[in-house]
Amino acid sequence: RRWSELSERKSEEGRMARGGEKKDLDIVVYGATGFTGQFILKELLRSAGPDVAVGAAGRNPAKIAKVIADASRELGMDVSSRVTTLVADLNDQDSLQKMTARAKVLVNAVGPYRKFGLPVVKACLDGSCSYLDICGEPEFIEKVDLLYGGTNGLAAQNECFVVSGVGFDSIPCDMGTLHNQLMMKEMGLVPSTVESYLTLKTGKSGGAVHYATYEALILGFANARNLKDIRRGLKERNAGNDRGAKKPVGPRPKRLTGAKFEPKLGAYCLPFLGSDASIVRRTQNALACADADFDPVHHSAMFTVASKWSLSLFAIFGGILQFLVKYKWGRTLLLNHPKLFTAGFFSHEGPSPKQIAETSFSMTFHGSGYASREEAAEVGAKPSRHLTTIIEGPEPGYVACSCFVSQAALTLLDEIQRTEKKNVCDYGVRTTGELLVKTDYLERLQAQENGIRIKTLDGLW
């Protein structure tokens, strides 16, 4: 309620920013000294042109200076003159507003977002600064939509974009699903279903993830009931908005509740419990409501494990997690001993450079559809056409993530600076797919020397 009341007030700095008087920075990375923020800043400086004014924001200017120096060394060029240092603290809302008053686009790399995200979003709204983050927490993502989204929401009123999940959660899944279904439509087919399968590949050093992701996971499971209340509020607010919009054709795939072996992938599959499924669902609904020619699809998100041994480890961890998150003492135990409960996979140190170099990902999209609308309209007809898309790239949580969000920020920057008709949607709280579907984002992403590639295989399955 407090944030809802605050959202009704617009700061003087925000009004000045909308007039363009203070926007001297194109893209600011907030949390630039954090584990993931350092990757994002470095990738942004690597891929952005020299005319893009970049800001690095955080609490400690000395640490920011070190991050900039490290980036110069790793990139093989002095980037210090290209970066403006901004001191901003979550406990000082005025410092956040001064930061967003200067920025056109802000990338927020400070999580868990359920704990630290709302003050940053609020500052962006007050400063009419478009907001991107790498959040994979459905509760936070949809809470922001409930507070500030909608046709008459504060994000639309203050003429800025607020978009979460612009990292590995959930760019590849959302944009890969769209790529698959739009390719089917270009081939004259009627898309019906897209199933996504995430596969992580590690080397001899194994895989590892930083503690912040683990903390967000634990807190997300512990507060699952809050998400139900948020979705109830969104359903009430958006009631009637989808009147007349197309619905996916064909049978809805049976929901996967446990593990199954998928012969086509040669691996066991489990439901992916991150933000991918919810973001894809919101994208499909939003685009169907906005465009009468858009054909939405059913979607399910899964991840793969290679062996029964790995499957058993997931089952053991899942069982322990499901029990302990119910209790405060259990959550404290989980949060205080991440290495113990995850066999070292999650830690405060995060992955080593060697682990990062040896890790990669692939995401396979199995699209199914119909040869014609007449075939799709037949009662009981099953999809008869199939198309497979594969997105593959380097280590997903930090390397690929920084590529995804950096190119999204640069794409958005170009779009909001256009004087002619823009390729992006209207201002507001949006999904990645809503924002980027009509832009050249995927072409930009593949043009970078970052190892991210998209392949389409007709009729493989």
Side-chain angles (χ1 to χ4, degrees):
R1 183 175 299 166
R2 182 171 73 92
W3 284 107
S4 183
E5 291 170 353
L6 282 172
S7 71
E8 298 300 321
R9 301 200 299 269
K10 302 177 185 178
S11 69
E12 180 62 26
E13 288 187 1
R15 286 192 288 270
M16 292 180 68
R18 281 192 293 282
E21 299 176 33
K22 286 190 170 185
K23 298 291 187 183
D24 61 320
L25 296 174
D26 293 315
I27 302 172
V28 170
V29 178
Y30 177 60
T33 61
F35 192 88
T36 310
Q38 296 180 51
F39 281 90
I40 295 172
L41 180 64
K42 183 178 70 174
E43 174 60 24
L44 184 60
L45 290 168
R46 186 193 71 81
S47 56
D51 57 330
V52 177
V54 176
R59 291 177 297 177
N60 190 321
K63 289 185 177 180
I64 296 174
K66 182 180 183 306
V67 168
I68 294 172
D70 290 344
S72 295
R73 185 179 65 255
E74 292 181 36
L75 293 172
M77 58 181 176
D78 184 7
V79 296
S80 58
S81 61
R82 295 177 53 194
V83 188
T84 299
T85 297
L86 299 95
V87 178
D89 192 326
L90 279 168
N91 296 316
D92 181 358
Q93 193 69 19
D94 185 59
S95 72
L96 296 178
Q97 290 186 194
K98 287 180 179 178
M99 170 183 68
T100 59
R102 297 181 63 182
K104 296 172 185 173
V105 177
L106 182 128
V107 177
N108 181 15
V110 180
Y113 292 88
R114 61 172 292 110
K115 293 175 64 176
F116 307 124
L118 282 179
V120 185
V121 175
K122 179 60 173 59
C124 284
L125 293 170
D126 285 343
S128 284
C129 166
S130 287
Y131 169 96
L132 305 178
D133 67 34
I134 52 172
C135 178
E137 306 163 41
E139 180 188 349
F140 172 80
I141 294 170
E142 295 181 42
K143 183 176 183 178
V144 168
D145 189 5
L146 181 62
L147 289 175
Y148 306 123
T151 305
N152 299 314
L154 198 63
Q157 290 180 28
N158 285 16
E159 298 183 354
C160 55
F161 295 97
V162 176
V163 188
S164 287
V166 196
F168 187 66
D169 297 300
S170 292
I171 281 283
C173 191
D174 200 17
M175 297 304 293
T177 298
L178 285 169
H179 182 274
N180 184 281
Q181 69 191 105
L182 294 176
M183 284 292 293
M184 290 189 76
K185 191 163 184 177
E186 282 186 18
M187 296 166 64
L189 307 176
V190 182
S192 172
T193 299
V194 177
E195 297 172 319
S196 59
Y197 300 86
L198 169 63
T199 300
L200 299 180
K201 304 169 186 176
T202 58
K204 294 181 179 180
S205 303
V209 180
H210 193 266
Y211 175 80
T213 302
Y214 176 75
E215 184 181 12
L217 175 71
I218 300 302
L219 295 177
F221 276 107
N223 294 275
R225 184 176 297 180
N226 294 344
L227 182 57
K228 293 181 180 179
D229 293 337
I230 291 167
R231 287 177 173 170
R232 190 178 299 114
L234 285 169
K235 185 176 181 180
E236 292 174 0
R237 187 195 71 190
N238 298 331
N241 289 356
D242 61 350
R243 190 176 293 114
K246 286 183 182 177
K247 304 296 181 184
V249 298
R252 182 187 296 273
K254 185 178 180 180
R255 183 179 180 183
L256 182 64
T257 56
K260 74 169 184 177
F261 184 76
E262 180 52 73
K264 294 183 285 290
L265 296 172
Y268 292 91
C269 300
L270 290 164
F272 185 71
L273 301 179
S275 60
D276 284 359
S278 61
I279 286 181
V280 171
R281 182 174 60 250
R282 291 172 61 223
T283 292
Q284 295 292 314
N285 183 65
L287 294 178
C289 290
D291 185 354
D293 292 329
F294 181 79
D295 290 309
V297 295
H298 301 293
H299 172 259
S300 55
M302 289 158 278
F303 71 99
T304 69
V305 291
S307 66
K308 289 185 177 180
W309 168 246
S310 299
L311 193 64
S312 65
L313 291 179
F314 274 104
I316 293 169
F317 173 68
I320 294 172
L321 177 66
Q322 191 174 24
F323 173 74
L324 291 179
V325 294
K326 297 177 182 178
Y327 310 101
K328 184 177 180 180
W329 63 265
R331 294 191 293 273
T332 301
L333 197 64
L334 286 166
L335 292 171
N336 287 344
H337 303 283
K339 287 185 177 180
L340 174 65
F341 287 104
T342 65
F345 188 71
F346 290 99
S347 70
H348 287 279
E349 297 79 21
S352 68
K354 186 176 182 181
Q355 286 175 317
I356 289 174
E358 293 177 349
T359 302
S360 62
F361 82 92
S362 67
M363 190 170 282
T364 300
F365 301 85
H366 176 208
S368 301
Y370 297 90
S372 66
R373 296 199 178 276
E374 291 74 20
E375 183 183 57
E378 293 177 10
V379 177
K382 294 182 179 180
S384 60
R385 298 292 185 270
H386 307 282
L387 184 72
T388 297
T389 301
I390 300 174
I391 298 180
E392 55 190 13
E395 188 282 328
Y398 308 102
V399 179
C401 174
S402 63
C403 297
F404 290 135
V405 73
S406 294
Q407 289 305 311
L410 291 167
T411 301
L412 178 56
L413 178 67
D414 284 351
E415 290 294 333
I416 62 179
Q417 292 183 149
R418 283 175 179 263
T419 55
E420 68 272 18
K421 180 177 174 59
K422 296 178 174 60
N423 293 316
V424 290
C425 53
D426 294 333
Y427 294 113
V429 178
R430 304 296 181 184
T431 66
T432 49
E434 279 185 275
L435 180 72
L436 300 169
V437 65
K438 293 183 179 180
T439 70
D440 61 350
Y441 173 75
L442 291 180
E443 289 77 9
R444 287 170 177 254
L445 197 60
Q446 295 183 89
Q448 301 297 311
E449 296 179 359
N450 52 29
I452 297 174
R453 295 290 179 266
I454 302 173
K455 299 184 291 186
T456 300
L457 308 174
D458 183 14
L460 179 66
W461 291 25

